[in-house]
Amino acid sequence: MSALDIAVLALLVTVTLALARAALGPTVFDRLQAANTIGTCAMLLLAVLGFLGGRPEFLDLALV
């Protein structure tokens, strides 16, 4: 496994944990923070997958 594969796996684990926090969060602030974390991780995942696939336009999509 390369370092980029590990980065993708770590981002997917982070999104999974944030989804659990969004579903089970005791307060509305926990749910809002989880939603913010999911959005940030989705952007990073798009950028990393674009780098892995040799498609630099994915970075533009992540920034939008």
Side-chain angles (χ1 to χ4, degrees), residues 25-47:
T27 66
V28 72
F29 298 111
D30 291 328
R31 291 183 172 100
L32 285 172
Q33 183 63 44
N36 189 14
T37 301
I38 290 168
T40 301
C41 286
M43 185 219 30
L44 289 171
L45 195 58
L46 266 173

Side-chain angles (χ1 to χ4, degrees), residues 7-35:
V8 169
L9 184 63
L11 285 169
L12 289 175
V13 168
T14 304
V15 168
T16 304
L17 291 173
L19 281 171
R21 173 52 73 188
L24 303 172
T27 66
V28 72
F29 298 111
D30 291 328
R31 291 183 172 100
L32 285 172
Q33 183 63 44

